[in-house]
Amino acid sequence: MGKPISSHIHLKLCILVVIITAVAFAQVVGHKFVSYDDSKYVTLNPHIRNGITLTTIAWAFTTFRASNWHPLTWLSHALDCQLYGLHNACGHHVTNLLLHLANVALLFFLFSKMTGAVWQSAFLAILFGVHPLHVESVAWVAERKDVLSTLFWMLTIFAYIQYSQSPKTKTYISVITFFTLGLMSKPMLVTLPFVLLLLDYWPLKRMNIGPPSKSSSKITKLVLEKVPLFILAACSSAMTFIAQRIGGSVATVESFTVGVRVANALVSYVKYLVKTIWPHNLAAFYPHPNNTIPTWQVFGSWIIILAITISVFKVIKKRPYLMVGWLWYLVTLIPVIGFIQVGFQAMADRYTYIPLIGIFIIIAWGVPDLVGRVGASRIKQDSTISPSSRSTILPFASSLVTLTLVILTWHQVRYWKDTITLFEHAIAVTKGNYVAHNNLGQELSSIGELDKAIAHYRLAIKSDPDPGLAYNNLGAALAQLGRISEAMEVFHRAVESDPECCEAYVNLGRGYSLQGDLIKAKQNLEKALEIDPENSAAYLEMGNVLGRQGMYAKAEEYFAKAIYLNPNSAEAHSNMGVIYRKTNRLDKAIAEFREAIRLKPDLPAPYHNLAFIYYTRGDIKTAWDVIQEGEANGVNPNPMLVQALSRAMPKPSLTAQPPP
């Protein structure tokens, strides 16, 4: 137990910890969304853009989108869209940061309450708040599930502390409630019941490990007490496994053998420790080494883990925090360490958000303990050493560590400011990072840097064990350069490599449509919609095919679906406008063309169609206004339409205001 400290100083210390953390992450509020999963969770998710509605709530509780069942995470994103809008990234980042700050404050409060050691608890909260390994969980909007679920993790422990002091049914219900909410935010909380057992031993001291006759009944009672929590954890684990199976995220034994998984797990446990002490070369994605891990690393990692485990149990009675911290770390990493391989990453910084609390417990309590013992020994040996002289060591060292971590975290946060910066850094600090090359290529393609994008796609293909998406993206870039036949060959390679690559089927459908083979176009687009019934691009291309066949009513249905799924698709709005124009609903056509121009001012088609409508209505001046507006945005006008307009009225010498 630490020395008594007033509640006033306690509050000031908590505020200081929160402020330090806020300073370390402050620049995140100016960051953009990144292409890596932010589109899946927010920017291109049609289900959450309208905020909290009954439809959104129903969807959140029934979907396995993103290979997970976490309805509260979806609803938190929907609430952000309601508060800040779909494209205001600042607000979404602010929510992540506020949740992280709340977690920091709660961690400080919980451990100071359980242990009475306020200064150790403050340093624990500081380490948790400003460690660079936690940047990914806070700075990445799509990782809302980390900071949100951890909030409920902390609240569950808070309720459990209350229950341990006064074991009442009402209090236990609050434990179950917070735990359930946490599981509905991220299933990684399944290990929390075991952590509560650790806290029973230290610092709550509800469990004494001694002779079996004295301790077994006590331990059994504490385990039985948590049976409802273990049942909830089992249900959440089953739900998560089903969701990931359906989403295709669980790797097969053929992809990663049991031996490979165990080897990577052992090495990852130690690598996380190394990155905790020396947080360098942090990346958004670490490629899985598969069977290339050296045997000495596997064996060495096993020895290190075993040695630490034996050591902490040897001193369990004198220094129980060592065992609690170490087992906290080992156990909470189990769901994500790779025994069940989800995705193709070897490890991920975000996975350490809760587990590293265990290591920070060891540091926050172990270092003062060690300094105290060493100092006492030196004083006995040398009477000239004053006890007060060593009292300044810990404040100075902790301040230095805090400052160092704040600087490192501030620097790491910068890499998350946008997609290009994020993945250029990932490529610089890792090898064979196909995810980084692929995502960087997509971002470069979106800004017209096609040659650079193609180079990155080719590098991704070389190292990607499942290069279907990289082939597809390469084909799309080639198509943009007009190399259609070459692009079609690459799209075929994409579906050969990955028969479930929806985007490749969409692009094949588009290619066959441009070549006039509407039958093959429809076949590929139908396959795409079979794989992903919410692919807006597939609906857009199918609408184009149906429109060319004169099936305007059916085409309208597909364009409407495309717009619903992606309201920011200028092409979908423009093509819907064409359907309205051809079916003589000109006011609706004008509105769609205007929306297309707003979304993509350099898209030629809506200008041509809009000017043509005004021409047919006899409003020549407005038609000229549209032509000139397009020219101002780099669009060359349709020569035949310009000739027709010129015969009716000379082109105005000054650019008129755009029509309403």
Side-chain angles (χ1 to χ4, degrees):
M1 298 288 288
K3 293 181 179 180
I5 187 169
S6 71
S7 58
H8 183 63
I9 296 177
H10 194 155
L11 178 61
K12 283 187 174 181
L13 196 55
C14 181
I15 292 173
L16 177 62
V17 169
V18 169
I19 289 174
I20 291 171
T21 304
V23 169
F25 283 92
Q27 61 187 313
V28 77
V29 300
H31 287 186
K32 300 177 181 178
F33 289 113
V34 295
S35 63
Y36 194 36
D37 277 3
D38 279 356
S39 58
K40 184 185 297 182
Y41 276 84
V42 182
T43 58
L44 294 181
N45 188 334
H47 302 284
I48 60 107
R49 67 168 177 258
N50 294 324
I52 304 294
T53 66
L54 290 177
T55 302
T56 302
I57 294 171
W59 174 82
F61 278 89
T62 56
T63 185
F64 286 153
R65 186 184 176 102
S67 300
N68 267 304
W69 186 78
H70 43 38
L72 287 192
T73 294
W74 291 125
L75 293 177
S76 75
H77 286 301
L79 181 60
D80 274 4
C81 288
Q82 187 169 320
L83 294 175
Y84 314 122
L86 187 63
H87 300 290
N88 179 10
C90 174
H92 296 260
H93 282 297
V94 166
T95 298
N96 269 26
L97 179 55
L98 290 176
L99 287 169
H100 180 57
L101 296 178
N103 293 335
V104 170
L106 282 169
L107 183 63
F108 168 71
F109 174 77
L110 291 174
F111 274 85
S112 61
K113 183 177 179 64
M114 288 190 291
T115 67
V118 177
W119 297 105
Q120 287 96 322
S121 300
F123 193 55
L124 167 66
I126 281 285
L127 292 174
F128 172 78
V130 301
H131 199 282
L133 277 175
H134 290 170
V135 168
E136 183 170 291
S137 295
V138 182
W140 189 9
V141 171
E143 272 308 301
R144 169 70 50 78
K145 51 186 176 286
D146 267 2
V147 289
L148 180 62
S149 63
T150 302
L151 176 68
F152 291 115
W153 172 287
M154 301 295 182
L155 292 174
T156 303
I157 295 177
F158 170 76
Y160 186 72
I161 295 171
Q162 301 298 109
Y163 173 77
S164 69
Q165 296 170 347
S166 178
K168 296 179 180 178
T169 302
K170 181 180 178 181
T171 315
Y172 192 75
I173 289 174
S174 66
V175 175
I176 292 176
T177 300
F178 285 129
F179 182 53
T180 302
L181 294 174
L183 292 173
M184 292 164 63
S185 304
K186 186 178 182 180
M188 190 172 170
L189 268 67
V190 294
T191 57
L192 181 51
F194 183 83
V195 169
L196 295 180
L197 284 172
L198 292 177
L199 296 178
D200 281 335
Y201 184 71
W202 182 90
L204 295 177
K205 298 180 180 178
R206 300 179 72 208
M207 179 195 306
N208 292 316
I209 297 178
S213 59
K214 294 182 179 180
S215 61
S216 60
S217 60
K218 187 81 170 180
I219 295 172
T220 301
K221 180 182 177 181
L222 291 172
V223 172
L224 291 175
E225 176 185 80
K226 296 167 183 62
V227 166
L229 302 180
F230 281 114
I231 291 173
L232 286 170
C235 292
S236 177
S237 298
M239 183 76 80
T240 301
F241 186 77
I242 292 170
Q244 291 174 343
R245 274 292 187 194
I246 292 174
S249 296
V250 179
T252 63
V253 176
E254 289 76 18
S255 300
F256 297 102
T257 65
V258 173
V260 165
R261 296 173 192 227
V262 171
N264 182 67
L266 292 173
V267 172
S268 293
Y269 268 121
V270 175
K271 281 186 175 180
Y272 283 133
L273 290 177
V274 172
K275 286 185 178 294
T276 302
I277 298 168
W278 186 26
H280 71 297
N281 291 347
L282 305 184
F285 183 83
Y286 301 101
H288 199 292
N290 210 315
N291 59 358
T292 63
I293 303 175
T295 303
W296 68 266
Q297 285 189 13
V298 180
F299 183 73
S301 298
W302 168 245
I303 294 297
I304 290 171
I305 294 169
L306 185 62
I308 295 175
T309 304
I310 293 172
S311 299
V312 300
F313 273 97
K314 278 187 174 181
V315 295
I316 188 171
K317 289 189 176 181
K318 290 184 177 180
R319 296 173 189 87
Y321 60 83
L322 293 176
M323 181 274 291
V324 170
W326 180 243
L327 291 186
W328 179 311
Y329 171 71
L330 290 182
V331 172
T332 55
L333 266 174
I334 287 175
V336 291
I337 200 64
F339 294 125
I340 298 176
Q341 182 67 39
V342 178
F344 289 91
Q345 71 283 338
M347 52 193 289
D349 295 352
R350 61 188 179 275
Y351 292 161
T352 69
Y353 193 66
I354 286 175
L356 281 190
I357 293 174
I359 302 303
F360 298 151
I361 289 171
I362 293 173
I363 295 171
W365 270 263
V367 172
D369 190 1
L370 178 63
V371 170
R373 285 186 289 116
V374 171
S377 175
R378 291 186 62 193
I379 289 173
K380 286 182 179 180
Q381 295 174 7
D382 187 351
S383 59
T384 62
I385 298 176
S386 169
S388 61
S389 66
R390 61 188 176 88
S391 65
T392 59
I393 295 176
L394 285 176
F396 176 77
S398 60
S399 298
L400 183 61
V401 169
T402 298
L403 179 60
T404 301
L405 290 177
V406 167
I407 293 171
L408 291 174
T409 292
W410 176 272
H411 189 67
Q412 185 65 24
V413 168
R414 291 169 53 200
Y415 294 126
W416 284 87
K417 70 177 182 179
D418 56 47
T419 302
I420 290 179
T421 305
L422 178 65
F423 288 111
E424 283 182 340
H425 172 69
I427 290 168
V429 299
T430 60
K431 294 180 180 180
N433 199 326
Y434 52 90
V435 168
H437 283 296
N438 205 8
N439 279 271
L440 182 55
Q442 287 179 300
E443 195 68 15
L444 291 169
S445 289
S446 70
I447 60 175
E449 298 280 353
L450 295 176
D451 290 334
K452 290 182 181 179
I454 287 172
H456 282 288
Y457 293 143
R458 295 194 188 281
L459 289 171
I461 290 168
K462 286 182 179 180
S463 55
D464 194 341
D466 183 16
L469 185 58
Y471 272 122
N472 169 75
N473 293 337
L474 173 60
L478 292 171
Q480 283 183 266
L481 291 173
R483 296 154 64 176
I484 304 300
S485 59
E486 187 179 353
M488 292 294 282
E489 291 179 11
V490 175
F491 292 140
H492 279 294
R493 287 185 203 168
V495 296
E496 288 170 6
S497 173
D498 179 9
E500 297 296 308
C501 186
C502 176
E503 294 83 357
Y505 287 108
V506 173
N507 283 318
L508 281 170
R510 181 185 294 117
Y512 281 123
S513 178
L514 291 174
Q515 294 173 356
D517 192 340
L518 300 185
I519 294 176
K520 284 187 177 180
K522 290 179 76 171
Q523 289 174 345
N524 281 277
L525 294 171
E526 286 169 353
K527 178 64 176 176
L529 290 172
E530 178 186 325
I531 296 170
D532 181 7
E534 293 190 345
N535 190 291
S536 61
Y539 283 101
L540 172 62
E541 294 305 325
M542 186 67 87
N544 291 338
V545 171
L546 294 168
R548 290 179 184 179
Q549 292 178 324
M551 302 169 65
Y552 298 141
K554 198 68 178 174
E556 183 179 336
E557 292 179 16
Y558 278 86
F559 289 141
K561 185 70 172 179
I563 291 170
Y564 169 76
L565 292 169
N566 183 10
N568 296 310
S569 171
E571 290 82 359
H573 284 286
S574 180
N575 293 357
M576 179 67 94
V578 172
I579 296 297
Y580 286 145
R581 181 176 68 79
K582 290 189 175 182
T583 54
N584 206 33
R585 289 173 286 176
L586 300 184
D587 288 338
K588 286 188 174 183
I590 289 171
E592 292 294 338
F593 292 137
R594 271 286 145 211
E595 179 64 8
I597 290 171
R598 184 188 71 80
L599 291 168
K600 194 173 182 181
D602 60 346
L603 186 65
Y607 291 106
H608 302 333
N609 282 287
L610 196 56
F612 182 77
I613 289 175
Y614 287 120
Y615 169 73
T616 57
R617 283 183 165 183
D619 190 347
I620 308 302
K621 182 180 183 306
T622 304
W624 273 121
D625 289 345
V626 172
I627 293 291
Q628 291 185 311
E629 181 187 355
E631 289 176 328
N633 287 297
V635 174
N636 294 321
N638 184 309
M640 295 181 64
L641 181 58
V642 168
Q643 290 178 8
L645 288 172
S646 298
R647 287 193 293 268
M649 170 184 165
K651 182 178 181 179
S653 57
L654 296 176
T655 302
Q657 293 294 320

